[in-house]
Amino acid sequence: MDVFRFELERNAGREALTAGHLDRARELLERALARWQGPMLAGVPLGPVLTSRTVAAEEERLLTVELLADVQLRSGRDDLAISLLREVVARHPLREPTHVLLMRALHERGDNAEALAVYEEIRTTLTTELGVGPGGNLEELRRSIITAMSRPGSGRAAVRVAGTGRARSVAAGAGVPVGAASEEADPVSPVDHLPRAVTDFVGREDVVLRLLAETRRVEERVPAVHIIDGMAGSGKTALAVHLARRLSDRYPDAALFIDLCGHGDKNRIEPAAALFTLLRQLGVPADRVPVEFDDRVELWRQELARRRTVVILDNAASSEQIMPLLPAEPTTVVVVTSRRRLSHPDAGPSRTLPVMSPQESVDLLRVSVGRDRVEAEPEAAAEVVRRCGYLPLAIRLAGARLAHRRGWRLADLAGQMADDAPVLRHLAQEESTVTGAFAASYEPLPSSTKRVFRFLGLYPGSRFSTPAVAALTGLTIEEARAALDDLVDSNLVEDLDSTRYRLHDLMRQYSIDLCSGTDSSHDRRRGLTRLFDFTLEVVLKVADLLEPGVIRSQVTHIASGQLELVEAVGEPTADWLEAERTDLVTMVLSAHESGFHRHCWQLARALWRFCYIRGYFEDIILTHRHGLEAAEATGDVDALALMNNYLASAYVRTGNKQGALDHLTRSVELSRDSPDVLNPARYRANLAAVYWWSGHLSESVKLGFECLRDYKVYGNVGGSILLPNLGLALTALGRYEEALRVHRLHLWWARTNSDEFHTLNALSHIGAVRLRMGDLPQAIRILLASLALRDRTGHRYAEAEVRNDLGIAYRGLGRLVEAQQEHELARNLSIGSGERHVEAAALNELGRTLLAQGRSGEAFEVHQEALRLATRIAHPHEQGRALAGLAEHFVRTDPAEARRHWERALAIFRRMGVPERFEAERRLAELADQRRS
C-alpha cells in the first residue's frame, strides 16, 4: 500500500509540475517521499522477484528526490534542494544525475567553488571505483560554471547544459536539462554500421518483444542496456541485429556494431581500441580522436549524447571490457552479446538466450531447404532439428548441407545423424562449423576447467550434480563447484536449478570427442569407477531404509573413501531416488556397456525395492536384464540367482507368467548348492506367487504352508516373504478365515518391524478379505487407511488393486458413481504401471458396475475387452470372470449363448477351485429351469 500510494502521489506531482503548478507539485512530492520510513521489506528474506521489485522502487524514490529538488530550485529554494541532494549523494556516491543537480543548486546559490568541489569528488570516485570518467552532463556543467566564473561580475550566472536542440532534463524525468548537443554543435548525419541483417530471421518474437518493452520502460530516464548471453550458435548476434533494426525508427541517427572478440585473450579488443573504432563509425576524424583514454571516453559519451543511437557490442568478454563503452545519457540503446554471463549495475543480470522451440527450429530449416521439402517429410524434418539440438547454427548448417544436395531427402540426413553416428561432422559449411563455435568458448578456459568439461561427456545420465561431478573428476566439492560455475558462465553447461546441471546434446558430443582425443583410457576408466562407486554408495543408503538388513546381505559393496561426496548429497530418501530415477536406470545400462559388470548388477539390485513399491516394473525389467548379463560376465552364481529372482518379480506384476516361472526356477537351481540358506528359501517362496497368479491356487497354498513350516530358515524376514503370497492364495480360494489370520500376522510383523510398506500392504490385503466376507463398511475403512498411508509415504505399489476393491465395496453399498470412478482410476493406474492382470480385473469390475447402473451395452464391451486382455496374458481367473460378465448380458436376449459362456467360465473356476464356481453352477441351474419351463 505504501508503494502504491507513493506512485500515485509521485505521478500526480509530475503532472502538476508539467502544468506549471510548482506549489502543488512540491506538496505532492514531499508527501510521497514522506512514506519512506526506511529500507523496503527490512528483515524479510528476498528472492529474485522481490529483490528486483525493491531495486526498482528504490530507483523511483531517488528519481522523485531529484524531481523534488528541481522543483525547489525552480521555486528559488536552493537551500532545501541542496539538503535533499547531499543526503542522496552521501548514500549514492556514483549517481551522476544527483551530482549534476547538486552542482547546479550550489552554482545558483553563488557557491561555485563548492560546485566544482562536488565535481572533483565524483570524478575521483568514478575513476577509482569504476575506472571511468564523469559523464557528458557533469563535464559540460563544469565547463559552464568555469566559463561563468571567468566573466566579469559573475555571480549567479545561468548555466546551460548542451542538448540535442530539444529541452531535456539533467536528471532523467526530473525536468532538468540533460547532456545533449549545444546549439553550436555540428548536425548529425545518420550512419549504419550494422552487419547485413538476416533476411529470414525466424522466431524469438517473445524475446524481441520483451526487449522492446524494456527499452521503452527506461529510455526516458537512463540508457537502455541489454545483455544477452547464450551458448555458441544460439543466435545471439542475429537477435541483436534484428532488435537494432526494430529500434531504427526510435533511434534513427546511428546504428553501430563492433565485435569485441571476447572468446580468447589473443584477439580481444581492448576498450581504448573499441572506442577508436566506434568514434570513427560515428564520423569523427582520426586526428580528432584523443590519445588519452579518459578523454576518449568523454568524447564518445559527448558524441552519443548528440544522437539517438543503437550500439551493438558483440562477443563481449567481461563487464570490465564494456563498462567504458556505455553511454551516460538516455539517447542510446546498447545491446551486448556474450558467451559468458555478464552483469552491469545499470542493466542487471544478462538474459540467457535458450535454444529454439521445436516449431521455431522446423521453421528455420524450412527457410534453408525450402517449404516443399520440409512439408513433404515433416517427421524427418522434426528429427533433423532434434538431432541438431534445436541450436540455430546447427540447423542452418544442416539446412545448407541439404540445400547443396538436391537429390537428398531429409530422411537421408536424419538417418546419417542417428544416435550412433557422429552428428557434428554433418554440421559444417566451408569454415563455419558447430565444433569451431564450441571451441571458441572452450579454449580460453583454465586447464582444470577444461578437464572437467571433457569428463562431463562420460557421465551416463542427462543431469549431473556437483557431488557426482566431483566423483567423476576426482575433485573436491568446492573445486567441482567452481569449475561448474565457470562452465555455466561460459554457456558450455546449463544450470537447471543450482543443484543440477545439463549438457546440450551437441555439446555432450563435443565433450566426448575432446575426452577421447585428450584423456587416456586409464584416466577415463578411473573417473567412471569413482562415479559408479559414489552412485552405488548413495543408492545403498536409501535401500538400507527400504530393505533394512536384506540389501546388505546381498550387495556387499566396499566403501570407496568418498564419504565427503556422499554426505554432500544430504540425507538420501526415496524422493531423491524418484528425482534421479531416469539417470540411475541409464547408469545401470552404461555400467554394463562400459564393462563395470559388478557395479551394474549391484546397482540394479539396490534400486529394486524402490522401483517395486513405486510400480516402475518396466525399469526393473530393463535394469535386471542388463544386470543378468553383467552377472553372467562375472561368473558370479549368487549374483545370477539374485538377478533371476528379482527379474521374475517384475514379470509377475506385468503378466509374463512363463518368464516369471522360468527365471524363478533358474534362481532355485543356481542356489541349490549355495551355503546361504536364506536366499534359496526366498526364491522358493516366491514360486508360490507365480503359482497363484497362474491359477494354480492349490499348489500355491501347498507350497506356502511348506515354506511356513521352515520359518526358522527365513528368520525375521520370513514375515515379509511368506505371509502375503500365502494369504492372497487363500483369499482366491475363498478360505477367508485362514487368509485373515495370515494377513493379520503379516500386519503384526510389519508393525513390529516399523515397516511402512508392509503395513500398507497388509492393510490392503485385510481390507480385500473383509470385502469378500461381506463386511463392506469395515472393508472401506481399512482400504482407505491403506491408501492414506500410501499417500503419506509415496509407496504406490498395488494401489490399482486397492482402488478396484474399494470400487467393489462402493458398488455393494449402492454408491455406483463412486464405484465407477474407482474402477476407472484402477484401470488407468494399472496401465501406467504395466500391470495387465490388474487392468483385466479392473475392467471386469467396471463391467459389473456399469451393468448395475443399467448400462448393459457398455458393460458388454468392457467385459469383451477384459476377456481379450486376460486371454492374451493367460490369466485364467480374469478370463472366467469376463466370461461370466458376458453371460449375464445374454441371459435375456440369448439364453443359449448365456449358457455357453457360463459353462466355459465354470470349467475355469472348477479347475482353479475358486468360490465363483458356485455362482456359475447356480446360474446354469436357473437357465436349465427356464429352458424346461
Side-chain angles (χ1 to χ4, degrees):
M1 293 302 298
D2 289 335
V3 171
F4 179 69
R5 289 168 176 159
F6 162 76
E7 290 175 345
L8 286 176
E9 290 161 352
R10 176 205 60 204
N11 293 338
R14 283 179 174 171
E15 293 172 1
L17 179 60
T18 302
H21 305 307
L22 294 181
D23 291 341
R24 179 59 177 164
R26 183 175 63 252
E27 177 188 350
L28 288 167
L29 294 174
E30 287 176 343
R31 188 188 307 165
L33 289 171
R35 296 194 181 279
W36 289 79
Q37 301 297 320
M40 284 183 66
L41 302 177
V44 178
L46 303 182
V49 175
L50 282 179
T51 298
S52 63
R53 185 68 183 90
T54 56
V55 169
E58 174 63 18
E59 174 63 22
E60 291 297 331
R61 185 185 76 85
L62 294 174
L63 290 173
T64 305
V65 172
E66 292 164 351
L67 188 60
L68 177 58
D70 181 48
V71 172
Q72 303 285 25
L73 285 173
R74 295 188 189 194
S75 304
R77 301 167 182 261
D78 301 342
D79 292 341
L80 292 177
I82 290 170
S83 64
L84 272 176
L85 295 168
R86 284 200 183 280
E87 180 182 352
V88 175
V89 298
R91 295 184 179 180
H92 303 275
L94 297 175
R95 191 172 181 84
E96 295 188 48
T98 311
H99 283 79
V100 170
L101 277 169
L102 180 56
M103 288 174 63
R104 178 183 155 203
L106 290 166
H107 168 71
E108 292 190 3
R109 192 176 67 176
D111 196 348
N112 291 324
E114 183 63 20
L116 293 177
V118 170
Y119 168 83
E120 286 300 323
E121 181 180 355
I122 188 171
R123 186 189 68 78
T124 302
T125 304
L126 288 171
T127 303
T128 304
E129 298 293 333
L130 304 180
V132 300
N137 284 344
L138 282 165
E139 286 292 349
E140 292 207 22
L141 182 55
R142 179 183 69 90
R143 285 195 292 269
S144 298
I145 292 173
I146 292 173
T147 301
M149 291 172 64
S150 65
R151 293 174 186 157
S154 61
R156 295 170 64 102
V159 176
R160 190 174 184 285
V161 181
T164 56
R166 300 183 292 269
R168 298 198 135 227
S169 74
V170 175
V176 187
V178 266
S182 65
E183 292 176 355
E184 296 79 16
D186 296 331
V188 297
S189 300
V191 294
D192 186 348
H193 289 274
L194 295 181
R196 182 177 65 85
V198 178
T199 56
D200 48 15
F201 188 83
V202 172
R204 308 297 198 189
E205 190 62 22
D206 56 337
V207 179
V208 172
L209 291 176
R210 284 199 299 270
L211 292 171
L212 289 172
E214 180 65 17
T215 300
R216 294 189 182 96
R217 188 180 70 82
V218 303
E219 63 184 350
E220 293 302 322
R221 298 184 289 109
V222 293
V225 180
H226 305 298
I227 304 177
I228 304 169
D229 71 68
M231 67 182 291
S234 59
K236 301 180 293 296
T237 302
L239 173 65
V241 174
H242 180 72
L243 178 65
R245 296 295 182 195
R246 292 279 291 267
L247 287 166
S248 60
D249 60 332
R250 300 172 65 82
Y251 295 84
D253 298 334
L256 312 181
F257 179 94
I258 185 170
D259 185 351
L260 297 175
C261 301
H263 303 329
D265 294 331
K266 292 183 179 179
N267 300 318
R268 184 175 300 174
I269 305 297
E270 294 301 322
L275 285 168
F276 184 90
T277 301
L278 291 167
L279 285 166
R280 295 290 291 120
Q281 289 184 11
L282 283 175
V284 177
D287 58 359
R288 282 189 53 202
V289 177
V291 176
E292 294 295 329
F293 179 70
D294 289 349
D295 295 334
R296 192 172 291 186
V297 172
E298 178 182 348
L299 178 61
W300 164 244
R301 290 178 172 171
Q302 288 175 353
E303 290 293 331
L304 287 182
R306 299 174 55 211
R307 301 168 171 85
R308 293 188 65 79
T309 307
V310 179
V311 182
I312 296 179
L313 305 177
D314 197 38
N315 291 327
S318 64
S319 299
E320 291 74 17
Q321 187 186 28
I322 65 172
M323 283 292 291
L325 311 181
L326 299 181
E329 305 299 338
T331 57
T332 305
V333 176
V334 180
V335 184
V336 182
T337 73
S338 177
R339 295 187 185 182
R340 295 187 62 84
R341 291 187 175 179
L342 308 182
S343 176
H344 179 263
D346 294 333
S350 58
R351 184 188 303 276
T352 300
L353 187 65
V355 296
M356 284 183 152
S357 69
Q359 184 57 54
E360 288 176 331
S361 300
V362 172
D363 292 342
L364 182 58
L365 183 65
R366 183 183 293 113
V367 165
S368 302
V369 305
R371 179 179 298 274
D372 293 342
R373 294 177 75 180
V374 170
E375 291 183 353
E377 299 180 86
E379 293 181 0
E383 181 64 11
V384 167
V385 299
R386 188 181 74 82
R387 295 294 179 189
C388 290
Y390 308 115
L391 189 68
L393 174 61
I395 296 167
R396 286 192 178 276
L397 292 174
R401 188 174 177 84
L402 283 167
H404 289 88
R405 293 165 175 80
R406 302 301 299 178
W408 280 21
R409 297 179 304 122
L410 270 72
D412 296 329
L413 181 57
Q416 293 180 25
M417 299 170 71
D419 284 329
D420 55 351
V423 175
L424 289 176
R425 71 180 180 85
H426 297 288
L427 304 177
Q429 182 70 17
E430 297 181 354
E431 295 184 359
S432 179
T433 67
V434 171
T435 300
F438 290 169
S441 296
Y442 167 79
E443 290 299 339
L445 296 172
S447 58
S448 58
T449 306
K450 285 183 177 179
R451 178 176 175 273
V452 171
F453 176 73
R454 295 194 304 269
F455 270 61
L456 291 180
L458 301 176
Y459 191 83
S462 60
R463 306 177 311 153
F464 40 87
S465 64
T466 303
V469 173
L472 179 64
T473 56
L475 300 175
T476 65
I477 288 288
E478 291 74 19
E479 292 168 336
R481 183 177 293 114
L484 286 170
D485 286 343
D486 205 5
L487 292 170
V488 169
D489 287 342
S490 300
N491 279 295
L492 289 168
V493 168
E494 182 182 358
D495 184 350
L496 298 177
D497 57 7
S498 299
T499 61
R500 295 290 185 277
Y501 304 84
R502 178 173 62 194
L503 277 177
H504 184 274
D505 290 345
L506 295 182
M507 198 68 78
R508 175 181 295 279
Q509 185 175 325
Y510 177 59
S511 171
I512 292 171
D513 292 346
L514 285 174
C515 192
S516 60
T518 306
D519 302 285
S520 68
S521 58
H522 172 74
D523 286 344
R524 298 197 300 269
R525 186 167 185 83
R526 186 168 57 179
L528 286 174
T529 300
R530 289 191 300 260
L531 175 64
F532 290 138
D533 279 342
F534 159 77
T535 304
L536 185 55
E537 287 177 35
V538 177
V539 174
L540 281 172
K541 287 187 71 174
V542 186
D544 277 333
L545 302 176
L546 301 177
E547 298 181 85
V550 177
I551 186 65
R552 294 292 181 174
S553 69
Q554 297 178 348
V555 177
T556 54
H557 175 69
I558 300 175
S560 62
Q562 302 182 92
L563 181 61
E564 175 197 6
L565 306 186
V566 175
E567 290 178 346
V569 175
E571 191 60 38
T573 62
D575 289 337
W576 180 86
L577 284 182
E578 183 70 59
E580 299 292 326
R581 178 175 63 89
T582 302
D583 279 357
L584 290 171
V585 170
T586 303
M587 199 164 290
V588 173
L589 276 55
S590 177
H592 175 45
E593 293 166 359
S594 305
F596 291 85
H597 300 306
R598 181 182 59 83
H599 289 92
C600 173
W601 75 257
Q602 289 191 335
L603 188 55
R605 172 62 190 92
L607 289 169
W608 172 80
R609 171 63 77 181
F610 166 78
C611 292
Y612 195 75
I613 63 180
R614 295 286 174 108
Y616 298 129
F617 303 116
E618 293 298 332
D619 284 352
I620 295 176
I621 292 171
L622 182 60
T623 55
H624 282 67
R625 278 177 175 172
H626 283 77
L628 186 59
E629 294 178 8
E632 288 174 348
T634 63
D636 188 331
V637 175
D638 291 336
L640 275 170
L642 279 171
M643 290 297 99
N644 276 288
N645 175 70
Y646 291 102
L647 181 57
S649 73
Y651 281 148
V652 167
R653 299 300 300 181
T654 55
N656 187 344
K657 174 183 65 175
Q658 192 58 51
L661 188 59
D662 290 345
H663 284 289
L664 268 178
T665 302
R666 180 66 175 149
S667 292
V668 173
E669 292 173 352
L670 286 167
S671 62
R672 197 179 305 278
D673 299 325
S674 173
D676 174 22
V677 295
L678 179 57
N679 280 331
R682 177 181 283 110
Y683 308 148
R684 188 163 173 259
N686 287 338
L687 276 173
V690 178
Y691 289 152
W692 164 75
W693 183 84
S694 305
H696 303 296
L697 300 179
S698 297
E699 291 87 338
S700 177
V701 170
K702 179 181 177 183
L703 180 57
F705 275 121
E706 287 177 1
C707 293
L708 203 57
R709 294 188 191 99
D710 296 331
Y711 189 85
K712 291 182 180 179
V713 173
Y714 295 88
N716 187 47
V717 298
S720 63
I721 297 172
L722 304 175
L723 298 174
N725 294 336
L726 176 58
L728 290 171
L730 289 168
T731 302
L733 285 171
R735 296 161 62 174
Y736 300 134
E737 292 293 345
E738 294 174 85
L740 194 58
R741 285 197 296 272
V742 169
H743 288 314
R744 281 173 169 169
L745 277 173
H746 182 207
L747 179 61
W748 170 83
W749 179 92
R751 296 294 293 151
T752 302
N753 288 273
S754 301
D755 191 311
E756 291 181 322
F757 167 70
H758 281 284
T759 297
L760 63 86
N761 205 22
L763 284 173
S764 60
H765 293 158
I766 292 171
V769 177
R770 285 292 185 188
L771 169 66
R772 284 151 183 82
M773 295 175 75
D775 190 353
L776 303 185
Q778 178 72 352
I780 290 173
R781 283 194 294 272
I782 296 172
L783 293 171
L784 288 176
S786 173
L787 290 173
L789 191 53
R790 281 174 166 82
D791 290 337
R792 195 185 78 193
T793 61
H795 296 340
R796 309 320 314 176
Y797 171 78
E799 180 178 353
E801 290 153 296
V802 179
R803 294 285 181 187
N804 203 35
D805 282 341
L806 192 58
I808 297 172
Y810 286 151
R811 184 178 66 231
L813 295 175
R815 297 159 61 177
L816 300 181
V817 173
E818 293 170 271
Q820 180 185 343
Q821 291 172 346
E822 294 297 337
H823 296 319
E824 290 174 344
L825 178 56
R827 184 191 180 190
N828 291 333
L829 289 171
S830 63
I831 292 173
S833 61
E835 298 174 279
R836 291 173 290 177
H837 66 293
V838 182
E839 182 187 357
L843 285 169
N844 275 324
E845 295 302 340
L846 176 59
R848 296 187 67 180
T849 297
L850 291 172
L851 186 63
Q853 293 174 331
R855 299 155 65 180
S856 58
E858 295 174 68
F860 179 75
E861 293 177 359
V862 169
H863 281 304
Q864 279 189 319
E865 187 176 355
L867 180 59
R868 286 191 295 268
L869 178 58
T871 302
R872 187 165 67 249
I873 63 175
H875 196 293
H877 197 190
E878 296 306 331
Q879 279 181 279
R881 297 179 71 246
L883 288 167
L886 292 172
E888 285 298 311
H889 177 77
F890 288 114
V891 166
R892 295 184 180 179
T893 59
D894 191 345
E897 191 67 14
R899 186 168 53 254
R900 188 174 69 85
H901 280 78
W902 273 119
E903 287 171 347
R904 292 173 60 193
L906 179 58
I908 294 173
F909 294 151
R910 280 176 173 169
R911 186 170 63 250
M912 294 181 65
V914 294
E916 286 90 342
R917 69 182 186 273
F918 302 119
E919 175 66 12
E921 290 170 351
R922 185 181 66 80
R923 297 298 283 152
L924 279 170
E926 290 177 354
L927 288 171
D929 291 341
Q930 291 175 8
R931 186 178 182 185
R932 284 193 296 270
S933 62

